[in-house]
Amino acid sequence: MSATRVNVEELLRNPEVQQVTANINPELLERRKYIPPKCEVFAKPYTVLKATDAYPFHIDREAERQLPKIIRNRVQVVEGLNSPDEAFRKQYSRKRHVGIVFSGGPAPGGHNVIAGLFDAARKANPANRIFGFLKGPDGIIENEAVEITRDMVDAYRNLGGFGMIKTGRTKIDTKEKMAFSKETCKALKLDALVVVGGDDSNTNAAFLAEELAEDGIQVIGVPKTIDGDIQVRDADGKVLCAMSFGFHTAARAFASEISNLCTDSSSDVKYWHICKVMGRVASHLALEVALQTHANITLIGEDIADYVGKQRIERAKEQGGVDYTAYGMTLRHLSRVICGAIIRRAEVGKNYGVIVIPEGVLEFVNEIQLFIIKLSTIIAEYNQTHDTDFHSAFSTLEEKLEYLRGLAKRSREEGTFSIWNTRDDDLFSDIPEFFQEGLLTERDSHGNFQFSQVETDKVLMGLVKDYLKRLTEEGAYKIGIERAYYRKMLEKEKLDPDTFGPVLFKNYDDKDATFLLARPSIISMKTLMQELVKGGLIQEGETVPASVENIYKKSVPKFKTQSHFYGYDGRGSDPTQFDCTYTYNLGLTVFSLIANGATGQMAAIRNLEIGFPKWEPLGIPIAPLMRLEERKGKLALVLEKSVVDVNSPAFQVAKAFREKWLAAHVDSDNYRKPGPIRFAGETEEDRPITLVLNAIGIDI
Ligand code: FBP
């Protein structure tokens, strides 16, 4: 067959070719032109802030000391205003310069915060100017900014990523950086600075607000992070911010992919898919993925930490002592729990499935938590007392280990208290090299342990594989054989299933058992033969009947895994309708806070968990949310992270369904297919399932 030569130049001029290869596609156009609905208060020409005492906070002494100017801030509710007096109108609409920065990892919806702020600012005064700092806080420190134009905003409406101005993880944590930032704000004649970020970035926002107050520059934070760990309640437990933005999109994106794996896995029936999902500490994303997909096993770090070994406690009590190790799970225990679930599915013929592992799960495992704290302190101390930093001074793993060994030796010889002793060193040398390396990786600029750099799943699954191997050798891990299939196969070879059954299977006489389990003693062809000889079914030296051999082979488990990491992909997704609307309204809220003179506040929307019509924009004071936490080996004031509440309805529901979703029974699996994120159409859910469940029974 002769192919006609393609004229590429002509082909590229073809309008259809141009259309299908353009960067712009119909979905993009649809997203750009979509206008998210606004909360009712924003329908009015002006907004005003009503400070309220309805939401009390427990104030940390240290926060009071370090943030005196903003610590007494109260929650401010945004209200609509039709016809204010002239003084208010003038103040609200005066010309302003506002700077905005993205800080930390990207989260879907960030561009709509800018769009909301831009639209509100221009509506109040068309001369208002918005500046975007480039590549995160570095842009503030180095005065790298662009003026945001309508064209820029329109090009990024409802789109994911932080591409318009990019992001970075620098922390403004020294006097010099603070001074440079101040200089930049003054140079741009900023009236206000908006920090869109996670817990650390909002912490930064609070310190900036305190510092810039004397110059009359307002600072407003925005709760961003796919991890979902910025959730705010007051001292009485009333929810002020149910979820940071970006969480819903990332969770939906992960869930869509993971549910596809559930489909593939239950079709191909040969793999366990190990899905690590982002969430540096809290397991909110994993919990939402569980609720969205009904994957067979989902680990929740907070649940693991909450584990109490009742038997150990009782045993210790009988001996008149207390077993402190009974609280929380060890890595080994956790791997045993996973093995137990895998074995139970195998027994009903399901040697496949999907496991969801939060990337931060190890932080909730006793011994690992200790290692992280100790090593972070050692690295921080080294950096404080030497000219070179720890990672430059010891570039290879061996050098780092040698340094640790030195610390252990010193503590042994000098007999003084040391953070790293011989026992630590021994325990540490027991863990695989790649994990040692992971635990010793560089901390981020906020001093956080970088879980995304550690192969959490590999650590855990390494232990699972080792233990399953042992259980296979002990004959405890078997694939169940369907009784009807067994009978059919033997009868085909004219053998009596009832004669061979009791010799081959441990549960043959249990007539209710649909799946038959090979006797633990049968772990090889040799042992199979021995059992058949012992049972008088074949003579020594005789071959095993083909159907029996076939059945035996089918009962031998092969634990085959495929590993996946869901993080950056979901983080880069285009936002769901929920996140589009949420972030656009956050942008509008930011402007209301600025126009009404607020500072040290975080823009938020109350009642997210109830549904759009009830959303209520407000400003939450950041300083009263700060607590002392260990960072870089020292106690530092930071915004408290919100982890999964094991008593919350969302977790309790997932826990109640754990057995159902494991589906270690003869019936089919219980997977749920959330499908991909749909922007158009009516079928897309309006909020995360976690929020729906947690809202049940809430009195608003
Ligand atoms: P933020 O808290 O800054 O939003 O980032 C969260 C996150 O996406 C985590 O889930 C993940 O562990 C981490 O960022 C990855 O960081 P990096 O982008 O530096 O690899």
Side-chain angles (χ1 to χ4, degrees):
M1 202 172 83
S2 75
T4 356
R5 223 185 148 81
V6 172
N7 181 336
V8 179
E9 278 180 18
E10 200 175 295
L11 195 62
L12 294 181
R13 278 196 298 274
N14 181 316
E16 208 176 341
V17 172
Q18 289 183 355
Q19 195 201 335
V20 296
T21 56
N23 290 347
I24 299 181
N25 64 358
E27 159 87 6
L28 178 69
L29 294 175
E30 182 159 27
R31 279 191 169 267
R32 280 180 175 164
K33 70 169 196 264
Y34 175 73
I35 302 166
K38 292 182 195 171
C39 294
E40 219 179 307
V41 292
F42 296 121
K44 303 274 167 70
Y46 301 92
T47 52
V48 67
L49 302 180
K50 268 264 164 67
T52 167
D53 287 320
Y55 307 102
F57 297 99
H58 292 306
I59 291 177
D60 188 282
R61 280 259 202 78
E62 193 54 26
E64 198 159 17
R65 197 182 67 77
Q66 293 190 31
L67 300 162
K69 293 184 190 134
I70 56 169
I71 196 74
R72 296 284 153 217
N73 279 7
R74 291 179 294 165
V75 167
Q76 296 168 311
V77 178
V78 179
E79 290 185 356
L81 196 60
N82 275 324
S83 34
D85 61 28
E86 189 50 22
F88 180 94
R89 203 199 52 74
K90 236 174 148 181
Q91 175 61 14
Y92 191 92
S93 311
R94 79 176 165 80
K95 187 182 165 200
R96 286 185 167 83
H97 286 189
V98 178
I100 186 162
V101 67
F102 289 141
S103 180
H111 290 129
N112 272 18
V113 176
I114 296 185
L117 168 63
F118 184 90
D119 291 351
R122 285 294 169 92
K123 186 178 150 201
N125 184 340
N128 277 340
R129 296 173 72 185
I130 311 290
F131 297 90
F133 289 107
L134 299 174
K135 298 188 192 166
D138 276 341
I140 311 179
I141 298 167
E142 296 165 1
N143 194 356
E144 283 290 306
V146 285
E147 179 161 1
I148 294 174
T149 62
R150 184 168 297 282
D151 283 351
M152 282 164 79
V153 174
D154 289 347
Y156 283 98
R157 283 182 195 272
N158 306 303
L159 297 187
F162 282 176
M164 189 202 290
I165 54 173
K166 326 273 186 260
T167 185
R169 284 199 183 275
T170 299
K171 188 173 182 180
I172 303 175
D173 56 354
T174 62
K175 277 197 176 125
E176 292 74 26
K177 288 189 213 169
M178 196 57 97
F180 283 132
S181 305
K182 210 174 196 182
E183 238 173 67
T184 301
C185 293
K186 285 182 174 175
L188 290 172
K189 297 193 174 53
L190 291 192
D191 295 280
L193 173 65
V194 183
V195 180
V196 182
D199 53 338
D200 287 321
S201 313
N202 274 284
T203 298
N204 241 207
F207 282 100
L208 281 164
E210 182 74 24
E211 185 68 26
L212 297 176
E214 61 188 21
D215 300 293
I217 302 171
Q218 302 158 247
V219 182
I220 302 296
V222 181
K224 169 240 68 162
T225 173
I226 61 160
D227 290 2
D229 54 17
I230 302 194
Q231 298 176 14
V232 183
R233 285 171 183 265
D234 72 357
D236 300 332
K238 287 194 283 295
V239 181
L240 285 161
C241 168
M243 190 53 74
S244 50
F245 81 77
F247 168 82
H248 184 231
T249 310
R252 282 283 285 106
F254 299 163
S256 167
E257 296 288 323
I258 291 171
S259 88
N260 290 346
L261 291 179
C262 294
T263 306
D264 189 82
S265 163
S266 54
S267 308
D268 199 24
V269 297
K270 70 174 183 224
Y271 290 123
W272 269 94
H273 289 275
I274 317 300
C275 308
K276 180 170 83 161
V277 299
M278 262 191 186
R280 189 170 34 213
V281 177
S283 301
H284 298 294
L285 282 165
L287 176 59
E288 179 71 17
V289 166
L291 293 164
Q292 294 270 356
T293 64
H294 305 177
N296 303 107
I297 303 172
T298 300
L299 306 181
I300 301 295
E302 293 80 343
D303 176 43
I304 290 163
D306 195 49
Y307 174 82
V308 178
K310 291 201 183 95
Q311 281 180 345
R312 296 178 80 153
I313 291 176
E314 286 308 316
R315 218 178 306 135
K317 217 172 175 183
E318 279 162 22
Q319 291 161 5
V322 181
D323 185 347
Y324 293 105
T325 63
Y327 299 90
M329 243 186 225
T330 61
L331 201 52
R332 175 189 288 250
H333 184 165
L334 180 57
S335 67
R336 303 303 190 249
V337 172
I338 299 173
C339 288
I342 291 169
I343 288 174
R344 285 183 52 215
R345 273 180 66 85
E347 286 178 349
V348 290
K350 297 174 182 173
N351 196 35
Y352 64 86
V354 174
I355 305 182
V356 178
I357 302 180
E359 73 171 338
V361 74
L362 295 181
E363 177 124 359
F364 293 94
V365 171
N366 270 346
E367 70 266 36
I368 307 300
Q369 202 172 25
L370 258 179
F371 277 142
I372 291 173
I373 295 173
K374 287 188 171 207
L375 293 171
S376 296
T377 309
I378 290 169
I379 294 169
E381 270 178 17
Y382 186 93
N383 293 346
Q384 273 157 25
T385 49
H386 294 78
D387 287 341
T388 43
D389 73 287
F390 183 83
H391 296 282
S392 317
F394 310 107
S395 51
T396 65
L397 175 65
E398 193 35 51
E399 285 168 356
K400 288 178 180 129
L401 293 178
E402 189 55 42
Y403 179 74
L404 292 178
R405 261 178 245 130
L407 290 182
K409 186 164 171 257
R410 232 174 42 221
S411 95
R412 198 170 51 239
E413 287 172 358
E414 293 170 10
T416 50
F417 170 77
S418 162
I419 191 157
W420 197 256
N421 54 38
T422 317
R423 189 181 133 73
D424 293 319
D425 212 53
D426 288 347
L427 278 175
F428 198 64
S429 54
D430 271 356
I431 62 180
E433 244 181 48
F434 76 88
F435 189 32
Q436 288 179 334
E437 217 147 355
L439 287 167
L440 281 161
T441 49
E442 219 156 331
R443 275 48 181 162
D444 74 5
S445 58
H446 301 275
N448 291 314
F449 181 70
Q450 303 191 64
F451 271 106
S452 56
Q453 311 286 317
V454 177
E455 294 175 281
T456 314
D457 47 331
K458 205 165 144 191
V459 176
L460 202 51
M461 293 318 289
L463 287 172
V464 167
K465 279 180 186 166
D466 286 351
Y467 192 52
L468 284 178
K469 193 165 160 238
R470 213 172 96 194
L471 293 174
T472 308
E473 284 159 10
E474 287 170 6
Y477 176 23
K478 300 274 188 201
I479 298 182
I481 304 292
E482 217 171 346
R483 189 188 287 271
Y485 175 78
Y486 160 74
R487 294 192 72 86
K488 192 173 94 184
M489 285 313 182
L490 261 74
E491 278 162 3
K492 221 169 164 185
E493 209 184 342
K494 308 253 175 311
L495 297 175
D496 177 16
D498 291 334
T499 312
F500 280 82
V503 174
L504 293 174
F505 303 108
K506 66 175 183 187
N507 59 343
Y508 193 78
D509 294 335
D510 175 2
K511 294 290 171 229
D512 293 334
T514 317
F515 280 85
L516 301 170
L517 292 172
R519 288 191 172 279
S521 54
I522 303 176
I523 52 165
S524 61
M525 276 304 287
K526 192 170 153 204
T527 50
L528 169 65
M529 225 169 327
Q530 281 168 357
E531 287 296 331
L532 292 176
V533 171
K534 209 159 82 186
L537 296 171
I538 60 169
Q539 299 297 314
E540 196 93 47
E542 241 179 12
T543 52
V544 174
S547 57
V548 174
E549 183 177 342
N550 180 33
I551 291 288
Y552 158 70
K553 283 187 176 153
K554 283 192 186 302
S555 78
V556 178
K558 281 180 209 72
F559 183 63
K560 294 209 279 187
T561 59
Q562 294 288 348
S563 297
H564 314 264
F565 176 35
Y566 296 102
Y568 301 100
D569 48 349
R571 220 168 65 167
S573 285
D574 282 333
T576 55
Q577 294 252 4
F578 171 83
D579 272 328
C580 283
T581 311
Y582 179 18
T583 47
Y584 188 71
N585 281 281
L586 278 176
L588 300 176
T589 308
V590 166
F591 184 74
S592 291
L593 292 169
I594 293 172
N596 282 285
T599 191
Q601 300 290 87
M602 185 164 77
I605 310 276
R606 207 169 77 87
N607 293 341
L608 280 179
E609 63 279 30
I610 294 161
F612 177 71
K614 293 218 163 18
W615 286 11
E616 188 182 285
L618 35 82
I620 304 173
I622 307 176
L625 310 177
M626 314 262 277
R627 297 289 172 264
L628 281 175
E629 247 182 45
E630 183 276 336
R631 288 293 162 93
K632 297 187 181 173
K634 277 188 180 166
L635 284 178
L637 261 191
V638 288
L639 192 86
E640 203 175 13
K641 254 193 207 334
S642 154
V643 296
V644 171
D645 174 3
V646 291
N647 294 312
S648 65
F651 176 74
Q652 286 298 323
V653 166
K655 189 175 171 185
F657 281 121
R658 205 172 256 170
E659 195 53 29
K660 183 172 177 195
W661 297 343
L662 177 64
H665 50 59
V666 295
D667 300 327
S668 51
D669 288 308
N670 286 296
Y671 300 131
R672 175 181 185 270
K673 201 118 187 125
I677 295 169
R678 287 166 300 261
F679 192 64
E682 297 296 310
T683 52
E684 180 65 13
E685 67 189 18
D686 68 347
R687 63 208 132 129
I689 299 178
T690 307
L691 260 57
V692 173
L693 293 173
N694 284 346
I696 291 170
I698 280 192
D699 200 10
I700 51 160

